[in-house]
Amino acid sequence: MKKILFGLIFISCVANADPLADQIAAFEEVQQDNIAKQNARAEAEYNAEVAEQRRLEKIALEQQAAERKLEEKALQAKAAAIKAEASRAREVAAQEAAHKQAVNDERLRDKTRLQAQEDEERAIELEFKRAELQQVKAISLAKATRANELLDAELAEKKANIDVIQSGADATRNVSEGAKELQVGIGKGIEAEGKSWFK
């Protein structure tokens, strides 16, 4: 378009040589005006580009800020989820520990009950054995007492038999001695009679 304009101005200048200076001045003025307009347009375009660049930078910064906020929210949500998961894990661990403790307590109570029952059974068994031992001792003592009584009775019977035998022997001896004395008496009597016959 500038070429056409310059071409028209040039043709117009050639046709009118006198007004050429006027035309050159007008041309320069138009050219200066065009340059000023071009500079104004370029400046406006530059300012528009700068404004657009600033707008785009602002949008980018706002978008970055929004992304940062979203990232922060995501991180906060993730941290909250991790915290909640940790809390749930602690709660589950506490429940498991409480369950294990309850199971262990029940096992210990069962063990204590079983030990008490075993102790009671052992005590009953020991008491029964003591009773049996006392019974055996009592029987042994009774047998020993009875054996002593039987032995005493047997000894008494033997002593009685000995006494009977001794009494019999004493009686026999007494009878013998009585018979002997009788015989001696008779003999002395006969002897005394026989002496009197010979007188």
Side-chain angles (χ1 to χ4, degrees):
M1 183 162 165
K2 289 181 184 179
K3 288 182 182 179
I4 294 172
L5 183 60
F6 285 127
L8 288 174
I9 292 172
F10 183 70
I11 291 171
S12 152
C13 288
V14 171
N16 299 319
D18 282 337
L20 183 59
D22 291 336
Q23 288 179 356
I24 289 176
F27 176 74
E28 285 181 3
E29 188 179 324
V30 169
Q31 192 174 9
Q32 290 295 327
D33 191 40
N34 284 340
I35 289 172
K37 285 181 183 177
Q38 192 175 13
N39 285 341
R41 207 171 25 251
E43 187 177 347
E45 285 175 2
Y46 174 76
N47 288 339
E49 284 179 12
V50 169
E52 182 65 18
Q53 184 67 29
R54 286 181 182 163
R55 187 182 72 80
L56 291 175
E57 285 176 359
K58 184 179 178 184
I59 289 171
L61 287 173
E62 288 173 354
Q63 189 172 1
Q64 286 176 355
E67 286 175 359
R68 273 197 307 273
K69 284 182 181 177
L70 286 175
E71 286 176 3
E72 286 175 5
K73 284 184 181 178
L75 287 174
Q76 288 173 354
K78 190 173 182 181
I82 290 170
K83 188 175 179 182
E85 184 63 30
S87 177
R88 279 193 298 274
R90 280 193 302 274
E91 187 177 325
V92 167
Q95 287 175 351
E96 286 178 359
H99 178 69
K100 283 181 182 178
Q101 186 65 37
V103 168
N104 192 37
D105 289 347
E106 183 63 28
R107 185 182 60 80
L108 287 175
R109 281 193 294 274
D110 287 345
K111 184 177 179 181
T112 304
R113 271 195 301 273
L114 184 61
Q115 284 178 346
Q117 186 177 357
E118 287 175 356
D119 290 345
E120 187 175 350
E121 287 173 0
R122 275 195 295 274
I124 290 170
E125 188 177 343
L126 284 173
E127 193 172 333
F128 182 73
K129 285 184 179 179
R130 279 192 199 108
E132 279 185 340
L133 183 61
Q134 286 176 353
Q135 186 178 8
V136 167
K137 282 182 180 179
I139 290 170
S140 295
L141 184 61
K143 282 183 179 179
T145 303
R146 183 74 178 130
N148 286 339
E149 289 173 358
L150 289 173
L151 186 59
D152 289 345
E154 190 178 329
L155 287 174
E157 185 181 349
K158 285 185 179 180
K159 186 176 177 188
N161 286 339
I162 291 171
D163 287 346
V164 168
I165 293 169
Q166 185 67 42
S167 296
D170 288 345
T172 305
R173 187 175 56 245
N174 288 339
V175 168
S176 317
E177 285 179 2
K180 179 182 169 187
E181 285 179 12
L182 181 62
Q183 292 287 330
V184 169
I186 292 173
K188 282 184 183 179
I190 292 175
E191 187 182 333
E193 263 183 42
K195 282 183 183 178
S196 65
W197 282 358
F198 289 106
K199 288 183 179 177

